[in-house]
Amino acid sequence: MPVERGSLNPGTAERRPRITIVGSFMTDLMSRSPHLPVPGETVMGGPFQMGPGGKGANQAVAAARLGSDVNILVSLGKDQFGDFAYNNLLREGIGVEFVKRVEGMSTGAALIIVDDAKGENMIVVAPGSNSALGADDVDKGIQVILDSDYVLMQLEIPLETVEYTAKLAHASGVKVILNPAPGRPLSDELLRAVDVLTPNETEASIVSGITVTDLATAELAGKALVRRGCPTVIVTMGGLGVLVVDANGAQHVPGFKVDVVDTTGAGDAFNGALAAALAEGLGMRDAARWACAAAAISVTRIGTSVATAHRDEVEAFLAGRP
């Protein structure tokens, strides 16, 4: 039976979409606060929660829960948080053959404060062992990368590793999605090796040099990045949805109105779902709408990967939307 494409129902196909994540794991240490503190201010908050996180691991969980066959290349410390990370990846059905364990380095951690009133957040990342993921680790996982439909990366690992992986995958015909978060300047050489770039407004401003505040400026930034060599740029804009920009122009994909509880990890839910949808064969606009739905569900829950939706939840959510 031929592989069905475009249905987002890999259970009917002989071969599930294959996605490789080259990225980070962070142990999320989170508390809620009545408001985000200003410098020097101590705020009484709570409760405290610890959970699995990091952009790479979050995006891997999002794609796996939507039915993709996911492998991850990630670097963990040989510590309690590293064990926690490894066991969580196993529990989510993510391939761990190329998980690296590093002696003498702590597993990455993220300190997160969430505004109880608005659901907005502040995050400080301590990368730890994520900084040890190098080109040699990518070489060890080269076959799983070459067997992938999409490689998905972020910027919580060394930029040199991201560049090396993107060029390797691109040269071999494997599609590359780069979520440029945290935002930093990127070379034209890297942009030319990326098929889909997914910055938020802040990241789009940093990468393009154009301040993004609305759909019009997002279009300007997106077009500037397309001219620099990236075929498709998707600017994520929270409740506004996303703007998909390519050589043919810009398309706005509206977001979904939901009751926001916690925006932490929404971008990761979007990116994991986008990769899953594209690998399944959906067109860019339809894939972006699917990903917006996954992100909308995630912000109605507390946490990052633990808040990520499963396939049946996204399907039910979309079934109730025009």
Side-chain angles (χ1 to χ4, degrees):
M1 183 175 70
V3 173
E4 297 181 10
R5 294 290 183 179
S7 64
L8 269 179
N9 186 12
T12 64
E14 289 180 346
R15 175 188 179 278
R16 291 194 297 162
R18 294 176 179 170
I19 297 169
T20 296
I21 309 290
V22 181
S24 58
F25 176 88
M26 305 285 178
T27 303
D28 286 345
L29 308 171
M30 188 191 80
S31 186
R32 302 181 69 84
S33 171
H35 63 270
L36 298 180
V38 299
E41 181 183 13
T42 298
V43 179
M44 297 298 289
F48 171 78
Q49 290 182 315
M50 185 182 87
K55 296 183 185 302
N58 290 344
Q59 293 173 20
V61 171
R65 288 187 176 185
L66 294 175
S68 292
D69 184 355
V70 180
N71 286 278
I72 189 168
L73 278 66
V74 66
S75 177
L76 307 174
K78 289 187 176 180
D79 56 12
Q80 185 177 359
F81 284 172
D83 295 341
F84 173 66
Y86 188 85
N87 291 333
N88 185 70
L89 294 169
L90 282 177
R91 189 163 47 248
E92 294 288 347
I94 295 164
V96 295
E97 182 180 356
F98 301 104
V99 171
K100 178 179 181 179
R101 300 298 299 266
V102 183
E103 197 79 59
M105 296 185 78
S106 62
T107 300
L111 312 178
I112 304 169
I113 303 172
V114 178
D115 184 328
D116 237 346
K118 300 179 181 178
E120 296 175 347
N121 62 72
M122 295 173 64
I123 305 174
V124 176
V125 170
S129 58
N130 290 294
S131 61
L133 191 68
D136 57 333
D137 301 305
V138 176
D139 287 339
K140 292 174 184 175
I142 188 169
Q143 194 56 55
V144 75
I145 291 172
L146 298 183
D147 288 343
S148 299
D149 297 304
Y150 277 83
V151 170
L152 173 57
M153 294 183 289
Q154 322 76 32
L155 298 179
E156 289 182 334
I157 59 174
L159 183 58
E160 296 79 8
T161 306
V162 172
E163 292 171 337
Y164 183 82
T165 307
K167 292 172 188 175
L168 176 69
H170 183 73
S172 303
V174 178
K175 298 291 187 182
V176 177
I177 301 173
L178 176 60
N179 175 216
R184 61 185 298 177
L186 303 177
S187 69
D188 290 358
E189 185 179 15
L190 174 56
L191 291 174
R192 288 192 293 268
V194 171
D195 294 280
V196 185
L197 190 74
T198 60
N200 64 18
E201 294 158 282
T202 300
E203 294 148 6
S205 302
I206 293 170
V207 179
S208 71
I210 297 170
T211 301
V212 175
T213 57
D214 52 22
L215 288 171
T217 50
E219 182 174 352
L220 291 175
K223 287 181 175 178
L225 293 169
V226 169
R227 287 194 297 271
R228 288 176 56 190
C230 184
T232 303
V233 178
I234 301 179
V235 183
T236 60
M237 307 184 73
L240 276 178
V242 303
L243 191 70
V244 181
V245 185
D246 59 22
N248 296 317
Q251 287 187 317
H252 178 220
V253 180
F256 298 96
K257 187 175 181 179
V258 295
D259 293 327
V260 177
V261 174
D262 179 7
T263 60
T264 314
D268 297 333
F270 177 90
N271 278 276
L274 179 73
L278 291 174
E280 184 68 19
L282 265 67
M284 194 64 67
R285 181 182 176 85
D286 288 340
R289 185 171 186 269
W290 178 271
C292 283
I297 293 170
S298 77
V299 303
T300 66
R301 304 167 176 173
I302 296 174
T304 53
S305 65
V306 295
T308 303
H310 291 82
R311 171 179 296 276
D312 58 346
E313 294 175 310
V314 178
E315 290 173 344
F317 181 91
L318 285 171
R321 304 282 166 160

